[in-house]
Amino acid sequence: MEQTYSRRTTIENGLRVALEQNHFFLVFQPQIHVQTNEIAGVEVLLRYCHPVLGMISPAEFIPLCENNGMIDEVTHWVIKKALNQQNKWIEEGLPRMKMAINISPSTIVNSGFADVLNKFFKESNVFGEFIEFEITEDVFFEYSSQTLQTLNELKNMGIKLALDDFGSGYSSLRQMKELPLHKIKIDKVFIDHVELDRDRAFLDSILDLTKKLESSVVCEGVESKVQVDYLISKGDLIAQGYYYSKPLTSSEFKIWYGRHLQNRVFS
Ligand code: C2E
Ligand code: CA
Ligand code: CA
């Protein structure tokens, strides 16, 4: 217990200097239309390289940022960096890439968030239509009329909203119906065993629901050809996972993109 406590304290202390000392960086994971192999966009994922402990998973440090009050500042850093990256890629000859950015529930429902975004958009000259926010079902815990108002404000700015990890958390279908969701990301657990009848039954019914909601769909954690073939048979879905690519640094992504243009084949 002592060890866990000291690791946590070490990370928490490190997080306070991480922004100033460039210990954070972004990686990008492609999202692909399964039927055409065209790129639908990239998901932006945060990385933290601690000077002593090395790489730390966002699954470990993001909850610490949410607890110690740093999450808004960290999220603003991610958004700013992502918008700058868009501009760098354009300068380097890549097309404008849709970017999906993970936003914690407490940040997205913050009433000042839209103003911060407007400022970033003006500064970078990148606007809402190239941005998608991924929110998890935890947003329902913060749910109020203010939540709906803020989400609608973002929608009016052209920002798309995707529900992340769908099916793995607490979902209220009633609230889900009210949210201005553009996309649903189906959690990896529903994709892992598409070869099993029971698992396929779950996946198929989620796909039926998303079709009725007229949301587009991203299947997460796609790792094998068997999974891809199954998804191809289900329509125009988007997939993301190691089968296509691991999350890549900005320069790795540029190389990956160049190769992808030449031969759109994955194996
Ligand atoms: P997530 O949003 O569900 O992100 C997908 C996670 O699955 C990523 O882990 C990604 O690297 C991993 N992944 C992608 N494809 C595959 C695959 O085929 N197989 C397997 N086994 N894993 C795959 P990562 O980058 O460690 O992120 C973990 C979580 O941390 C994310 O889950 C997200 O909830 C959170 N996170 C990451 N970056 C940010 C951020 O900037 N802000 C916030 N609020 N949360 C973030
Ligand atoms: Ca995500
Ligand atoms: Ca996810």
Side-chain angles (χ1 to χ4, degrees), residues 43 102 134 164-165 185 187 220:
E43 179 174 3
N102 293 283
E134 296 194 0
D164 204 356
D165 304 341
K185 295 192 79 174
D187 196 78
E220 293 195 83

Side-chain angles (χ1 to χ4, degrees), residues 249-262:
T249 63
S250 57
S251 48
E252 286 169 343
F253 179 77
K254 210 178 125 191
I255 298 167
W256 179 92
Y257 182 81
R259 281 206 209 110
H260 174 77
L261 274 193
Q262 278 171 4

Side-chain angles (χ1 to χ4, degrees), residues 9-267:
T9 312
T10 311
I11 298 172
E12 272 183 332
N13 292 338
L15 285 169
R16 297 188 195 283
V17 291
L19 282 172
E20 291 147 36
Q21 299 188 3
N22 285 328
H23 297 159
F24 285 131
F25 63 98
L26 298 181
V27 288
F28 307 89
Q29 188 174 33
Q31 299 180 330
I32 305 288
H33 286 280
V34 291
Q35 291 188 331
T36 59
N37 278 344
E38 273 173 35
I39 302 177
V42 292
E43 179 174 3
V44 176
L45 294 157
L46 183 57
R47 293 287 175 265
Y48 174 31
C49 187
H50 188 280
V52 177
L53 301 174
M55 291 299 291
I56 297 168
S57 162
E60 186 173 8
F61 71 81
I62 290 285
L64 298 182
C65 295
E66 288 170 341
N67 283 334
N68 74 4
M70 278 184 69
I71 192 65
D72 283 358
E73 206 183 334
V74 170
T75 307
H76 296 172
W77 183 89
V78 170
I79 297 170
K80 239 178 151 170
K81 274 271 167 190
L83 297 177
N84 287 342
Q85 188 58 58
Q86 282 246 10
N87 285 333
K88 275 193 198 141
W89 278 333
I90 301 282
E91 278 167 27
E92 292 168 354
L94 272 69
R96 244 192 218 296
M97 206 68 66
K98 281 205 178 138
M99 284 183 161
I101 302 176
N102 293 283
I103 311 284
S104 296
S106 64
T107 303
I108 203 140
V109 299
N110 191 323
S111 56
F113 190 43
D115 290 340
V116 173
L117 290 170
N118 270 322
K119 179 170 161 272
F120 290 169
F121 289 164
K122 275 195 197 123
E123 280 168 6
S124 64
N125 218 22
V126 180
F127 291 93
E129 62 264 38
F130 295 103
I131 302 298
E132 184 172 282
F133 285 155
E134 296 194 0
I135 51 176
T136 60
E137 292 162 314
D138 292 347
V139 80
F140 296 127
F141 288 124
E142 313 258 349
Y143 187 81
S144 67
S145 55
Q146 169 67 41
T147 313
L148 200 55
Q149 196 183 322
T150 311
L151 295 181
N152 276 317
E153 218 173 314
L154 300 180
K155 187 184 166 195
N156 293 338
M157 291 166 71
I159 299 170
K160 305 273 193 301
L161 287 180
L163 187 62
D164 204 356
D165 304 341
F166 178 69
S168 71
Y170 165 89
S171 278
S172 154
L173 292 179
R174 186 179 69 77
Q175 286 166 346
M176 207 177 136
K177 199 164 65 78
E178 287 171 15
L179 292 187
L181 293 172
H182 164 78
K183 196 178 266 178
I184 289 175
K185 295 192 79 174
I186 302 181
D187 196 78
K188 182 175 181 303
V189 294
F190 297 103
I191 318 289
D192 276 343
H193 298 290
V194 286
E195 74 285 1
L196 302 177
D197 288 346
R198 199 178 142 76
D199 287 51
R200 227 172 23 228
F202 271 104
L203 177 59
D204 287 353
S205 31
I206 296 173
L207 290 175
D208 282 345
L209 173 69
T210 53
K211 213 179 271 170
K212 289 190 181 111
L213 290 173
E214 293 178 2
S215 305
S216 50
V217 173
V218 179
C219 297
E220 293 195 83
V222 173
E223 295 179 345
S224 72
K225 175 104 174 65
V226 173
Q227 292 169 327
V228 170
D229 287 343
Y230 187 68
L231 297 179
I232 288 174
S233 76
K234 301 305 286 184
D236 179 25
L237 303 175
I238 298 169
Q240 179 182 347
Y242 296 166
Y243 177 81
Y244 295 103
S245 171
K246 294 201 168 191
L248 303 167
T249 63
S250 57
S251 48
E252 286 169 343
F253 179 77
K254 210 178 125 191
I255 298 167
W256 179 92
Y257 182 81
R259 281 206 209 110
H260 174 77
L261 274 193
Q262 278 171 4
N263 69 15
R264 287 188 187 166
V265 181
F266 301 96
S267 57

